[in-house]
Amino acid sequence: MALALLLAIGTLVSASILPSTDSSSLRHDLGNILEPEKVSKLNPKVFIVSLFDAEGDTWYNIPEFNVLAHNITIPGLSPVFPDAHCTQDGSICQLTAGEGEINAAVSISSLLHSPAFDLRKTYFLIAGIAGISPKVATLGSVTFARFAVQVTLQYEFDAREKPVEFSTGYVPQGSFAPDQYPREIYGTEVFEVNDALRKLAVGFAKTATLNDTGAAQAYRANYASNPAFLSGASPPSVVQCDTATSDTFWTGALLAEAFENTVRLFTNGTGEYCTTQQEDNAVLEALLRGAMTKRVDFSRIIIMRTGSNFDRPFLGQSAAENRFGDSGGFTPSLNNLHIAGVKVVEGIIDGWDTTFARGVSPSNYVGDIFGSLGGEPDFGPGSIFEQQTISRRSRRRRV
Ligand SMILES: *[C@@H]1O[C@H](CO)[C@@H](O)[C@H](O)[C@H]1NC(C)=O
Ligand SMILES: *[C@@H]1O[C@H](CO)[C@@H](O)[C@H](O)[C@H]1NC(C)=O
Ligand SMILES: *[C@@H]1O[C@H](CO)[C@@H](O)[C@H](O)[C@H]1NC(C)=O
């Protein structure tokens, strides 16, 4: 009955966003239809976040579950991906947020404010493909991050104009050299998620037999000539390592090394960069804002990224050849989103009563660089909410 009602709501919402000559009555209708207390909400146990169509497709028409049983149109989602998709019982849902930081932030924020869902106990599984560092992993590898770092939120000099002593044209904001901790902080630079949950997800993912292809094998073999790239030349596996977010799809060894350092610097030496993507800090900021008003639980987030292309060339290859050539990594990275991700989803569903309903207590700091959810970040300058001195300093920081 509740589900039928929701379907009806989905239909009405779809109908009401069509062009109308009377916008005030439309607003009125939407207000009535979406009045939260009048609607039975779905309580998904797992919400899968995809970023573009091919990632979304890996969750459709699969043997394990059918998220196309219910399509729920959510105002505020991407115009190209307007629906959330859920199983018949609403326990597993998926949406495609759209690519880049703006799409990702707005889509997730809209989801959190949709009256169709109660997300307070939901586990969010970010499941996307990414550029991969051959120092840590390879094409088709499945990585789980503890830290997400917004690496291009910095000053940028064109490398041709940078001071000669700088190793890169990127300099943290408010600082004067690439290796100085940023002094002007926006709040989205670093997020840390639940490491205990990450370890459980890694355990689930390791039960999967990962996909690999001849094309990916042939390409990664080139990386064997550099001992630093041994992981890049090895078969795909499940790896714990951290992710870098940037709207700019950067590429090449020099930027890769610069952003490796940024991840290490911004996490006070704790984070190990391995993947580069265009959305995670945006998704995480939206979830953080939702957690501040108790719409979601920030300790229920899993960041899974699979390697689709190397972030830098192999020995003797140019950066352009690496970027514009075909590494063969796209297929196994997409396949492994589903192959490994489904084990994570099933692990949570199967362990719901014993473990996941009540939650997995984090033993690490969980939240943003500001300390917005309470606690003292174990990286960065400290909570701006709990330490009056730092709070004052941060208010002064633009003077
Ligand atoms: C949900 O949407 C998909 C296309 O995105 C479609 O294939 C499927 O049939 C829809 N499900 C229902 C129940 O209408
Ligand atoms: C990986 O998936 C492709 C299809 O996308 C398939 O051709 C190949 O055999 C798979 N490899 C393994 C090792 O499962
Ligand atoms: C992180 O490093 C910065 C710069 O060195 C320092 O100011 C800050 O106190 C460190 N934070 C933690 C939690 O260690």
Side-chain angles (χ1 to χ4, degrees), residues 84 137 144 164 289 387:
F144 290 88
V164 285
R289 305 264 183 105
Q387 292 182 10

Side-chain angles (χ1 to χ4, degrees), residues 44-46 119-124 194-205 297 299-302 343-361:
K45 294 180 171 128
V46 183
L119 302 167
R120 287 174 298 172
K121 287 190 181 298
T122 303
Y123 287 81
F124 290 89
N194 186 346
D195 195 44
L197 175 62
R198 171 169 78 144
K199 291 199 159 59
L200 291 177
V202 164
F204 294 141
D297 178 350
S299 68
R300 298 185 180 214
I301 301 169
I302 299 165
K343 300 291 187 190
V344 176
V345 174
E346 289 174 342
I348 293 171
I349 302 283
D350 294 347
W352 189 256
D353 291 338
T354 55
T355 309
F356 292 98
R358 74 165 180 276
V360 177
S361 295

Side-chain angles (χ1 to χ4, degrees), residues 40-100:
S40 302
K41 295 166 186 275
L42 292 181
N43 301 276
K45 294 180 171 128
V46 183
F47 215 117
I48 299 161
V49 177
S50 314
L51 295 320
F52 70 104
D53 50 4
E55 290 172 354
D57 288 344
T58 65
W59 298 101
Y60 308 147
N61 308 307
I62 56 173
E64 295 87 359
F65 47 81
N66 176 21
V67 291
L68 295 179
H70 285 296
N71 301 322
I72 301 147
T73 304
I74 300 179
L77 289 195
S78 158
V80 240
F81 309 108
D83 292 346
H85 305 283
C86 296
T87 53
Q88 187 75 33
D89 64 358
S91 63
I92 305 170
C93 297
Q94 180 274 340
L95 66 68
T96 302
E99 290 166 283

Side-chain angles (χ1 to χ4, degrees), residues 210-213 331 335:
L210 299 184
N211 182 250
D212 193 10
T213 63
T331 298
N335 289 346

Side-chain angles (χ1 to χ4, degrees), residues 209-273:
T209 305
L210 299 184
N211 182 250
D212 193 10
T213 63
Q217 282 166 26
Y219 196 87
R220 73 173 182 249
N222 294 306
Y223 285 79
S225 57
N226 182 343
F229 295 162
L230 219 58
S231 299
S234 304
S237 60
V238 177
V239 188
Q240 299 183 64
C241 54
D242 298 307
T243 195
T245 303
S246 164
D247 262 329
T248 304
F249 193 139
W250 56 268
T251 191
L254 297 179
L255 286 174
E257 279 162 27
F259 295 138
E260 267 167 39
N261 292 335
T262 302
V263 169
R264 207 173 299 122
L265 178 70
F266 284 24
T267 58
N268 284 55
T270 320
E272 183 191 20
Y273 160 81

